Amino acid sequence: MKILKVLFKILKGLLIVCGIAFILLGARRYYYSTETPTAETSPFQTMAVTQGNMETLVSSTGTLAAVGTVEVGTQVSGIITRVLADFNDTVKKDQVLAELDTSLFVASVNQAKAGLAQAKAKLRQAKAEYDRNLPLFEKGHLSAQEFLGYETDRDTAEASILSSQADLDRAKTNLGNAVIKSPIDGTVIERAIEEGQTVAASYSTPTLFLIAEDLSKMQIEADVDESDIGQILKGQPVRFTVQAYPDAVFTGEVSQIRLNPTVVSNVVTYTVVVDAPNDTGKLLPGMTATMDFVVAQIKDALLAPNSALVFAASEFADQENKGSALVVARNGERPRTVPVEIGISDGANTIILSGTINAGDKVITGYKKEKAESKTGILSRLMPRPPRRSGGGPP
């Protein structure tokens, strides 16, 4: 019995000691929780407000093409006998590019000449008959009906001359068209024929060559989504890259916004034409360009991370907040809320237009991972909730 009493006293003493230790531990935790947190003890993640430049961009892709390209075709059909221009050749206006077999065209010219000579002979005969019978008609030896036949033959012969001359001109034109010439000064960027090939121009003009007028000037046709087209303006600067030169950044300018939309799988896009200089000759027709339209540029602005704005909005969502805010955690001070006026954002940062905040200030962006599970009440202890306004309901 005495042993039980001794054990009971020992157990009672241990319980008293544990209780006192628990009370002291709780008091210590409360004391440190109300102290101003340092960078090591703070439960928050912070980032600094910076001073810098910001751009708002609209991204798109497009295809490079030469400015002022001309498709050279043929108006006549035939067999290609000579090809005198090749890919990348520099050509001058009226330079011969190719020739068709001219034997049939020469025969057509000769036939038209023979037809014209025959028509002239018939005209001479008709005029002679008319001149011989005119005195007889004037003296009344021929009736008007009889003389009308001679007059008609003369007029018909004169019309035949005009028709034959037109046939000759047509034959000569076709003979001239058998020689394919360059319509402009430029560079051959495509050749679609070979010697011995037959080209047919019965229904449509086939393309034999594609000539670029000036490869030092290129253009890009980009498809811009309907949600972004309102931000694109004529004269807007553009930056773009091509896969052939991934480290090089090229520049251009919006020259045209085409109003006709393109609809593919219920997605509406508009074609935007961008002029791009190509003085170095690196840009080639057909290259794919990855572009950024520079919608807005602001220099030397105060930039706050978007995550800080999101954090402040989520932590004080239940309070009366009529605008944006940041939670500033300056060294040696308790975190405090700073109302701010914001501007444009690039997705990572937002411009701060006004507010009691400076470059270098640390703003809270979230909780540290080890504090995430116990974050409830941390901010409320460090930043007591302000009293409600009078008349705003129950406390």
Side-chain angles (χ1 to χ4, degrees):
M1 197 69 178
K2 289 182 179 181
I3 296 175
L4 292 176
K5 288 182 179 182
V6 172
L7 292 176
F8 178 76
K9 288 180 180 181
I10 294 173
L11 181 60
K12 183 178 180 181
L14 290 174
L15 290 175
I16 292 173
V17 172
C18 291
I20 293 172
F22 181 78
I23 293 172
L24 292 175
L25 180 61
R28 183 178 181 276
R29 292 186 61 183
Y30 177 78
Y31 172 76
Y32 282 107
S33 67
T34 57
E35 282 189 331
T36 301
T38 63
E40 292 76 14
T41 62
S42 174
F44 306 112
Q45 292 179 339
T46 60
M47 291 182 66
V49 176
T50 59
Q51 195 93 14
N53 304 329
M54 177 175 286
E55 293 180 335
T56 302
L57 306 175
V58 171
S59 299
S60 181
T61 59
T63 304
L64 282 158
V67 177
T69 57
V70 177
E71 294 182 354
V72 180
T74 175
Q75 293 178 306
V76 295
S77 303
I79 299 175
I80 301 294
T81 56
R82 290 203 303 168
V83 178
L84 304 176
D86 203 354
F87 291 94
N88 303 333
D89 284 354
T90 300
V91 296
K92 299 293 184 180
K93 185 178 180 180
D94 294 329
Q95 179 178 332
V96 177
L97 305 178
E99 292 181 358
L100 278 70
D101 183 8
T102 59
S103 56
L104 293 178
F105 303 110
V106 172
S108 297
V109 170
N110 294 333
Q111 184 179 4
K113 288 180 178 179
L116 179 60
Q118 186 178 7
K120 289 180 178 179
K122 290 183 177 180
L123 176 60
R124 288 195 298 270
Q125 180 182 5
K127 282 185 175 181
E129 291 291 332
Y130 175 84
D131 293 340
R132 185 173 63 84
N133 288 282
L134 179 60
L136 297 177
F137 170 70
E138 291 175 346
K139 294 179 180 180
H141 298 295
L142 291 176
S143 64
Q145 183 67 28
E146 291 174 329
F147 184 72
L148 179 61
Y150 298 109
E151 190 175 16
T152 301
D153 290 343
R154 183 202 62 180
D155 294 342
T156 301
E158 289 177 348
S160 295
I161 291 290
L162 296 177
S163 177
S164 298
Q165 184 63 52
D167 291 340
L168 178 60
D169 292 341
R170 184 184 303 107
K172 288 182 177 180
T173 300
N174 288 337
L175 178 60
N177 289 335
V179 179
I180 311 301
K181 298 180 180 180
S182 174
I184 60 171
D185 296 343
T187 304
V188 178
I189 59 176
E190 182 180 349
R191 174 174 63 83
I193 55 171
E194 299 288 346
E195 290 186 4
Q197 181 179 339
T198 301
V199 293
S202 301
Y203 301 102
S204 61
T205 301
T207 299
L208 309 183
F209 298 91
L210 185 62
I211 299 178
E213 184 175 2
D214 188 2
L215 287 178
S216 66
K217 298 178 182 178
M218 304 291 285
Q219 69 179 18
I220 310 171
E221 293 187 1
D223 294 328
V224 179
D225 192 86
E226 62 175 328
S227 61
D228 296 324
I229 194 64
Q231 303 180 68
I232 308 301
L233 300 174
K234 186 176 180 180
Q236 206 167 56
V238 178
R239 294 195 301 265
F240 66 94
T241 59
V242 294
Q243 294 181 359
Y245 308 99
D247 297 329
V249 178
F250 303 91
T251 59
E253 184 178 285
V254 176
S255 62
Q256 185 183 56
I257 302 172
R258 295 178 181 172
L259 303 180
N260 186 38
T262 302
V263 183
V264 178
S265 300
N266 295 326
V267 177
V268 180
T269 58
Y270 292 85
T271 300
V272 177
V273 180
V274 176
D275 289 340
N278 187 29
D279 298 331
T280 60
K282 291 182 177 180
L283 301 177
L284 303 179
M287 283 184 170
T288 299
T290 303
M291 303 183 300
D292 288 325
F293 296 87
V294 183
V295 176
Q297 283 182 317
I298 299 178
K299 296 183 179 180
D300 198 27
L302 205 60
L303 307 178
N306 287 355
S307 54
L309 292 165
V310 173
F311 174 82
S314 62
E315 288 296 329
F316 302 101
D318 59 336
Q319 298 186 20
E320 296 180 6
N321 188 7
K322 296 183 179 180
S324 300
L326 292 170
V327 181
V328 181
R330 290 193 177 99
N331 291 334
E333 297 181 6
R334 296 183 185 279
R336 62 187 183 89
T337 304
V338 177
V340 293
E341 181 183 356
I342 62 174
I344 63 174
S345 173
D346 62 358
N349 297 294
T350 297
I351 290 180
I352 304 301
L353 301 177
S354 63
T356 311
I357 193 165
N358 302 310
D361 285 348
K362 298 288 186 178
V363 289
I364 298 177
T365 60
Y367 292 96
K368 293 181 179 177
K369 291 182 179 180
E370 61 270 17
K371 302 292 184 179
E373 295 181 357
S374 60
K375 70 178 183 179
T376 303
I378 294 177
L379 197 61
S380 61
R381 290 199 302 272
L382 295 175
M383 300 176 59
R385 186 172 182 174
R388 295 181 178 270
R389 299 177 182 176
S390 59

